[in-house]
Amino acid sequence: MANETNSASSTAAPLLQVRGLRKAFGAVRATDGVDLALQKGEIHALIGPNGAGKSTLIAQLCGELQPDAGSIVLGGEDVTALAAFARARKGLSRSFQITELCPDYTVLENVVLSLLLTTGRAFQAWSNPRHDPTLTASAARWLGEVGLDDRAGIHVRDLAHGEKRQLELAVALARSPRLLLLDEPMAGMGAEESARMTALLNGLKRRYTILLVEHDMDAVFALADRITVLVYGKTIFTGTPDEVRSHPEVRAAYLGEEAC
């Protein structure tokens, strides 16, 4: 049974409330009655072994998959039936396991594109957003936020892997999200790049509400206010990092003795 412990002991309504979320593919229950609550301003990590249902859960939260049952409430509004683009307009932004950037555009132009999606504008022959000083100044600020201000004119294809993940974060932040879903932001990174990303995300604490899906346990325990453990589509425990480390069922199912 999940233990929905709120380390801040807040009585405020969660920014995100998931109840009884279910999704089956034939006989396989990818999510099996998932409950999840994120408080405003927290970093909440979602962990679990491969095949636990994490990607399916994230896809349902984003609107890429419709659940078979259950509800998703964002900011007090039921968004269960909304399409992905509609949820994005309500402040839900996502980064992916594999970077989804425009490789032939510059770093700055990728953030400008994100800003255009937020405002509903589009590229126009008579009004090139690359030359819009308001847009480019705003994009430059977001690059500074993630430590890429000196890479603005570089084409994305020429960036290192860790820099691409930093840019993806800037693209997501440029949409001014209420809720930021980060799907394995450390994937494919070396130790130095992971440490840099961990420090970057730590700087976003309390300023953004973040659901972090990550296999790097050092990063998870360094960043998360609370952690939910998903196994075989079910949430088996939610608690603080210390509570998760010491929970026998979590240790048996996922962490192992060496992580505790």
Side-chain angles (χ1 to χ4, degrees), residues 147-165:
L148 288 178
D149 41 325
D150 62 341
R151 307 290 278 167
I154 303 294
H155 285 88
V156 168
R157 62 176 178 268
D158 297 321
L159 293 178
H161 175 72
E163 292 176 323
K164 290 177 182 177
R165 303 316 300 250

Side-chain angles (χ1 to χ4, degrees), residues 17-39:
Q17 180 78 62
V18 177
R19 291 192 178 96
L21 212 61
R22 298 181 186 275
K23 184 67 180 180
F25 300 98
V28 177
R29 295 183 179 180
T31 52
D32 192 5
V34 171
D35 293 327
L36 183 68
L38 268 68
Q39 296 296 331

Side-chain angles (χ1 to χ4, degrees), residues 59 61-66 79 81-90 92:
L61 296 181
C62 292
E64 296 163 4
L65 279 176
Q66 278 297 312
V79 299
L82 294 185
F85 74 89
R87 297 186 200 193
R89 288 177 180 171
K90 292 186 178 297
L92 194 154

Side-chain angles (χ1 to χ4, degrees), residues 53-168:
K54 301 186 298 296
S55 294
T56 301
L57 175 58
I58 292 295
Q60 289 173 90
L61 296 181
C62 292
E64 296 163 4
L65 279 176
Q66 278 297 312
D68 298 328
S71 63
I72 303 167
V73 176
L74 177 64
E77 180 180 357
D78 192 324
V79 299
T80 312
L82 294 185
F85 74 89
R87 297 186 200 193
R89 288 177 180 171
K90 292 186 178 297
L92 194 154
S93 186
R94 176 186 181 179
S95 75
F96 293 82
Q97 288 180 345
I98 301 171
T99 55
E100 295 202 345
L101 302 168
C102 298
D104 295 327
Y105 283 48
T106 68
V107 168
L108 183 71
E109 288 167 347
N110 270 264
V111 183
V112 167
L113 277 172
S114 183
L115 290 167
L116 287 171
L117 290 172
T118 302
T119 60
R121 291 175 55 188
F123 277 115
Q124 297 172 344
W126 59 89
S127 178
N128 192 328
R130 294 183 179 95
H131 305 141
D132 184 320
T134 301
L135 279 175
T136 55
S138 180
R141 284 195 297 273
W142 289 116
L143 291 179
E145 184 84 5
V146 301
L148 288 178
D149 41 325
D150 62 341
R151 307 290 278 167
I154 303 294
H155 285 88
V156 168
R157 62 176 178 268
D158 297 321
L159 293 178
H161 175 72
E163 292 176 323
K164 290 177 182 177
R165 303 316 300 250
Q166 288 172 255
L167 176 56
E168 192 177 51

Side-chain angles (χ1 to χ4, degrees), residues 202-222:
N202 193 53
L204 301 179
K205 261 195 171 184
R206 309 291 172 255
R207 297 163 55 197
Y208 296 93
T209 306
I210 298 174
L211 179 61
L212 172 68
V213 180
E214 184 55 57
H215 283 292
D216 185 333
M217 288 298 99
D218 289 337
V220 166
F221 286 121

